[in-house]
């Protein structure tokens, strides 16, 4: 209990004093995870819509891959992204290994199946009569898709929340492709692991509290936006 108390006090001290290193780590965490979540939306919503509304050979196979990807261990993603980005790998010439860009790529891969799967499931649950009614209005294909997505916006916001939650809390992929380099790729999760390995449990607890607060307030914002959209 004493260790927990010290961790809580250390967290308040770091927050109130505006520790530059903690602030930098927190901002990088938000930047990497936020960008990765945004990219996953650009990939996941169109792909989820396609899988939900279009019948084609191999569709069930692709859906099974998406469902598998929703539970894919982050460390596995980190390993394969590392293999492709190492200097000897296919994309080694890009020289982005151990950079925030590599971390964003890995986290986007982690979040995308969640967005694809939840978007697809939400659209598949829409009433077929509703689809016919929308088509009967003489809508264009884009208008039809927009109205359907608007109908399931509550579930899409849930997909965004799930995607962000998955990447902001992961550590395996970030360690694998980022290397936990000070002032370059160190985020709150990897910094916490580092402090634990050094035996600085009070600082580790403090960082974990800051990470939890960050995740909570971002999720709170998205939840309020979700509920507002639901009532719109």
């Amino acid at each position: 209990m004493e260790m927990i108390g010290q961790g809580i006090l250390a967290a308040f001290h770091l927050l109130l004093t505006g520790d530059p290193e903690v602030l930098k780590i927190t901002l990088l965490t938000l930047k990497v995870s936020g960008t990765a979540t945004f990219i996953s939306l650009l990939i996941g919503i169109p792909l989820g819509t396609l899988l939900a509304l279009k019948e084609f050979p191999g569709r069930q196979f692709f859906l099974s891959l998406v469902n598998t990807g929703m539970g894919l261990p982050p460390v596995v993603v980190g390993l394969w992204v590392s293999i492709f980005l190492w200097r000897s790998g296919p994309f080694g010439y890009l020289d982005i290994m151990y950079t925030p860009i590599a971390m964003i790529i890995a986290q986007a891969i982690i979040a995308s199946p969640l967005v694809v799967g939840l978007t697809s499931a939400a659209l598949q649950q829409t009433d077929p009569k509703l689809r016919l009614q929308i088509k009967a209005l003489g809508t264009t294909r884009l208008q039809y898709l927009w109205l359907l997505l608007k109908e399931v916006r509550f579930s899409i916001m849930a997909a965004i929340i799930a995607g962000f939650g998955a990447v902001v809390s992961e550590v395996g992929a970030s360690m694998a492709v980022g290397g936990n380099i000070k002032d370059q790729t160190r985020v709150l999760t990897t910094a916490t692991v580092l402090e634990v390995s050094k035996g600085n449990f009070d600082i580790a607890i403090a960082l974990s509290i800051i990470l939890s607060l960050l995740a909570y307030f971002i999720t709170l914002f998205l939840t309020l936006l979700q509920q507002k959209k639901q009532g719109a």
Side-chain angles (χ1 to χ4, degrees):
M1 289 298 296
E2 182 180 352
M3 184 184 299
I4 295 175
Q6 290 176 348
I8 294 174
L9 290 175
F12 276 108
H13 175 74
L14 292 173
L15 288 171
L16 294 176
T17 58
D19 184 272
E21 184 174 353
V22 172
L23 180 60
K24 185 179 295 184
I25 292 172
T26 303
L27 290 176
L28 182 60
T29 302
L30 188 58
K31 177 183 176 181
V32 169
S33 297
T35 304
T37 304
F38 178 72
I39 293 173
S40 74
L41 296 181
L42 297 180
I43 297 171
I45 293 178
L47 188 54
T49 302
L50 175 66
L51 290 173
L53 304 179
K54 185 71 173 179
E55 290 288 346
F56 56 89
R59 175 173 172 269
Q60 299 298 326
F61 171 71
F62 283 109
L63 281 171
S64 69
L65 288 180
V66 169
N67 290 333
T68 301
M70 292 173 71
L72 195 63
V75 69
V76 173
V77 175
L79 171 64
W80 282 98
V81 172
S82 297
I83 291 173
F84 278 88
L85 295 183
W86 279 332
R87 290 186 178 180
S88 57
F91 301 105
Y93 66 92
L94 295 175
D95 196 27
I96 58 174
M97 187 64 176
Y98 300 129
T99 68
I101 295 176
M103 297 169 69
I104 290 171
I105 293 172
Q107 291 193 6
I109 293 173
I110 292 169
S112 291
L114 288 165
V115 179
V116 174
L118 293 175
T119 299
S120 179
L123 287 170
Q124 288 182 72
Q125 290 177 349
T126 55
D127 191 338
K129 294 180 180 179
L130 174 64
R131 302 185 194 180
L132 291 175
Q133 288 175 352
I134 295 175
K135 288 181 178 179
L137 295 174
T139 56
T140 64
R141 181 174 292 274
L142 286 177
Q143 288 173 332
Y144 170 72
L145 293 175
W146 171 253
L147 289 173
L148 272 184
L149 289 172
K150 187 177 180 181
E151 185 67 22
V152 298
R153 60 191 182 275
F154 184 84
S155 296
I156 290 178
M157 284 301 300
I160 297 173
I161 293 171
F164 177 78
V167 295
V168 77
S169 60
E170 73 83 27
V171 62
S174 295
M175 291 284 282
V177 303
N180 198 22
I181 303 171
K182 183 178 180 181
D183 296 330
Q184 295 185 45
T185 60
R186 184 166 297 168
V187 291
L188 285 169
T189 50
T190 59
T192 301
V193 171
L194 176 65
E195 294 303 329
V196 170
S197 67
K198 293 163 60 177
N200 298 329
F201 294 104
D202 55 340
I203 301 299
I205 292 172
L207 292 173
S208 71
I209 291 173
I210 293 172
L211 175 60
S212 298
L213 289 174
L214 175 67
Y216 171 75
F217 283 113
I218 295 297
T219 303
L220 174 62
F221 170 76
L222 293 174
T223 302
L224 292 175
L225 188 61
Q226 178 193 49
Q227 298 302 314
K228 181 180 178 180
K229 285 181 176 292
Q230 184 191 34

